[in-house]
């Protein structure tokens, strides 16, 4: 009987260890994907949400997709390990929601802004500095060359220099303190307005929190494009695992 009980205990222990390694018993991370628009609405939002949900499922993360700004209160936000603004536009948060979001970020929150997240909250000075640069204009969708500034974890999917098709944002009020990971080569396409140094993706600390912004993601095809999709996943992984590294 003792041998049988010992066998059952050892079997349970092995199963527990294997399950933990596979992530079954690990604490699930929670991601908020926010897509509210109060201006132009990108058709690629829906493919983007699908891609982010698929990435989350592959990594055993839980995703909540919302366009309700009232979700931005201190009680709700403390439950999220990462907040994603996917092509949000215009004024999307009221004053109370702004306070809650700012507090979330400055006390250790994680944020990922994609494409039109920079076309958001123009009348909120904190957000302008936080997002790293406001959308100014863009030429027609076309192929452009992108340069990788360093071998950061978030851009490991890309070679040192590469081309892809997207809508290329020009920016105003660029924050000089952001850490740039990708730049656009304006000589490779028509309509660039930022000059020889044209930031395209970047990150920086916000109080105790961390944010990342990437300019790609206008087209539907972006979200099935292997390298760009891997970029999204790598950014999310980096932010979720970030702890003052």
């Amino acid at each position: 009987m003792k041998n049988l009980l010992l066998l059952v205990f050892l079997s349970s222990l092995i199963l527990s260890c294997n399950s933990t390694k596979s992530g079954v018993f690990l604490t699930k991370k929670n991601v908020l994907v926010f897509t509210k628009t109060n201006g132009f609405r990108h058709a690629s939002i829906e493919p983007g949400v699908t891609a982010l949900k698929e990435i989350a499922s592959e990594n055993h993360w839980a995703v909540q997709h919302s366009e309700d700004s009232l979700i931005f209160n201190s009680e709700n936000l403390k439950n999220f390990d990462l907040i994603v603004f996917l092509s949000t536009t215009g004024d999307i948060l009221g004053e109370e929601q702004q306070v809650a979001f700012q507090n979330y970020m400055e006390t250790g929150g994680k944020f990922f802004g994609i494409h039109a997240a920079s076309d958001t909250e123009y009348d909120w000075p904190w957000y302008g500095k936080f997002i790293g640069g406001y959308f100014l204009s863009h030429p027609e969708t076309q192929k452009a060359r992108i340069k990788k500034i360093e071998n950061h974890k978030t851009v490991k999917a890309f070679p040192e220099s590469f081309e892809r098709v997207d809508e290329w944002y020009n920016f105003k009020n660029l924050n000089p303190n952001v850490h740039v990971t990708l730049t656009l080569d304006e000589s490779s396409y028509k309509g660039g307005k930022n000059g020889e140094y044209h930031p395209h993706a970047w990150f920086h600390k916000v109080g105790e929190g961390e944010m990342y912004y990437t300019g790609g993601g206008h087209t539907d095809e972006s979200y099935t494009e292997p390298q760009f999709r891997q970029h999204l996943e790598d950014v999310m992984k980096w932010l979720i695992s970030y702890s003052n590294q």
Side-chain angles (χ1 to χ4, degrees):
M1 185 65 178
K2 289 182 179 179
N3 289 338
L4 179 60
L5 290 174
L6 179 61
L7 181 61
V8 171
F9 171 75
L10 290 174
S11 298
S12 299
L13 182 62
I14 292 170
L15 178 61
S16 175
C17 290
N18 289 338
S19 297
T20 301
K21 287 179 181 178
S22 67
V24 174
F25 293 146
L26 295 177
T27 301
K28 180 168 282 191
K29 301 299 184 179
N30 295 303
V31 179
L32 172 62
V33 177
F34 194 60
T35 57
K36 183 176 179 178
T37 55
N38 191 15
F40 182 81
R41 185 174 180 86
H42 285 75
S44 60
I45 286 177
E46 281 66 36
V49 170
T50 297
L52 294 177
K53 286 183 175 180
E54 290 172 351
I55 289 170
S57 177
E58 292 163 4
N59 287 276
H60 308 288
W61 304 328
V63 170
Q64 181 172 347
H65 172 219
S66 178
E67 297 197 348
D68 182 0
S69 61
L70 295 181
I71 200 170
F72 284 80
N73 62 69
S74 57
E75 283 302 307
N76 285 335
L77 295 187
K78 68 182 182 182
N79 296 316
F80 292 107
D81 300 282
L82 174 64
I83 294 174
V84 181
F85 277 17
L86 173 60
S87 285
T88 52
T89 55
D91 187 2
I92 57 173
L93 299 177
E95 290 185 7
E96 291 184 5
Q97 291 83 51
Q98 289 176 352
V99 170
F101 179 56
Q102 182 174 341
N103 182 65
Y104 165 83
M105 287 305 308
E106 293 180 347
T107 56
K110 312 297 188 299
F111 172 88
F112 185 16
I114 302 172
H115 196 53
S118 61
D119 188 22
T120 299
E121 293 290 350
Y122 288 93
D123 296 326
W124 184 13
W126 179 87
Y127 187 87
K129 185 177 180 181
F130 160 79
I131 198 63
Y134 278 129
F135 163 75
L136 173 64
S137 63
H138 66 79
E140 64 183 17
T141 300
Q142 60 191 292
K143 182 184 289 186
R145 179 165 293 279
I146 304 170
K147 296 180 179 180
K148 185 161 64 174
I149 301 302
E150 62 169 88
N151 291 318
H152 192 266
K153 292 178 181 179
T154 60
V155 291
K156 65 183 182 181
F158 301 125
E160 297 301 313
S161 179
F162 60 99
E163 292 183 335
R164 60 182 303 269
V165 174
D166 214 320
E167 182 181 77
W168 309 110
Y169 276 6
N170 298 308
F171 298 100
K172 63 180 181 178
N173 300 341
L174 283 165
N175 183 341
N177 297 317
V178 300
H179 190 114
V180 176
T181 54
L182 299 173
T183 61
L184 293 177
D185 179 357
E186 289 194 359
S187 69
S188 68
Y189 71 102
K190 296 179 180 178
K193 301 291 186 182
N194 286 113
E196 291 186 10
Y197 187 67
H198 186 145
H200 178 63
W202 55 76
F203 65 89
H204 70 115
K205 282 188 67 63
V206 183
E208 296 300 316
E210 186 77 17
M211 69 79 66
Y212 197 105
Y213 171 81
T214 193
H218 171 79
T219 66
D220 291 10
E221 293 77 13
S222 295
Y223 298 98
T224 54
E225 184 182 318
Q227 287 183 328
F228 184 75
R229 186 171 167 130
Q230 186 62 53
H231 171 53
L232 298 178
E233 181 173 356
D234 290 341
V235 171
M236 295 173 75
K237 282 182 175 178
W238 180 71
L239 287 167
I240 284 175
S241 65
Y242 182 90
S243 181
N244 296 318
Q245 67 259 57

